[in-house]
Amino acid sequence: VWSISGMSIYTHVTNFGTGGNGPSEFSQPSDIKILSNGTIYIADFNNSRLSVWSVSGNATITHVTTIASENMEYPFSFEFLPNGMVVIMNINNDNFDVWTYTGYNFTKVNSFGSRGPELNQFNRPFDVNYIDGKLFIGDRLNNRISIW
């Protein structure tokens, strides 16, 4: 966690998490999203899960829970959508899973994409972002940006 002091100077505040596969440990964390309520979601790539943390006070960070499922495989990047869904990229499968969520309960409802060069396929997608009702996906080895 870094805090902004001035226009472009950052001061290190703290670190959290250690290596491993326990509840508050990471194995190659790959993406992070912080919601407006202070909840932190982290894609824990090699542990095939999302790790959930809360922030309170002056950078007091507490592990809340872990979201894992046999359907969540190697999440690399993810994006929360305004309709109560989250899109999670599975880099090893070259696809995306769509989940609904309420609090910390996630349910897989759909998926899209597969490996290949066609317009509806991916080859090692790298990042996903949502804006104006569309998903923008960096399709790394197909050398393109895919818009859904």
Side-chain angles (χ1 to χ4, degrees), residues 18-28 44 46-49 63 66:
T18 60
N21 61 5
S24 61
E25 298 173 332
F26 300 116
S27 181
Q28 296 186 15
D44 191 1
N46 269 346
N47 284 326
S48 289
R49 64 188 184 191
H63 182 257
T66 299

Side-chain angles (χ1 to χ4, degrees), residues 54-117:
S54 67
V55 179
S56 60
N58 188 12
T60 301
I61 301 170
T62 307
H63 182 257
V64 176
T65 191
T66 299
I67 300 165
S69 163
E70 67 275 359
N71 293 318
M72 190 180 297
E73 298 181 57
Y74 302 106
F76 190 79
S77 181
F78 62 101
E79 186 73 17
F80 285 94
L81 308 180
N83 62 358
M85 297 184 145
V86 61
V87 175
I88 301 175
M89 180 182 63
N90 299 309
I91 194 169
N92 286 1
N93 297 329
D94 294 301
N95 76 338
F96 290 80
D97 292 331
V98 181
W99 301 70
T100 60
Y101 69 96
T102 304
Y104 306 128
N105 297 316
F106 280 56
T107 304
K108 182 178 170 184
V109 295
N110 204 348
S111 62
F112 63 94
S114 62
R115 179 171 292 157

Side-chain angles (χ1 to χ4, degrees), residues 126-143:
F126 193 74
D127 195 12
V128 58
N129 285 279
Y130 175 86
I131 189 166
D132 294 333
K134 294 178 178 60
L135 291 172
F136 288 75
I137 298 167
D139 191 2
R140 189 170 43 148
L141 296 183
N142 280 329
N143 298 303

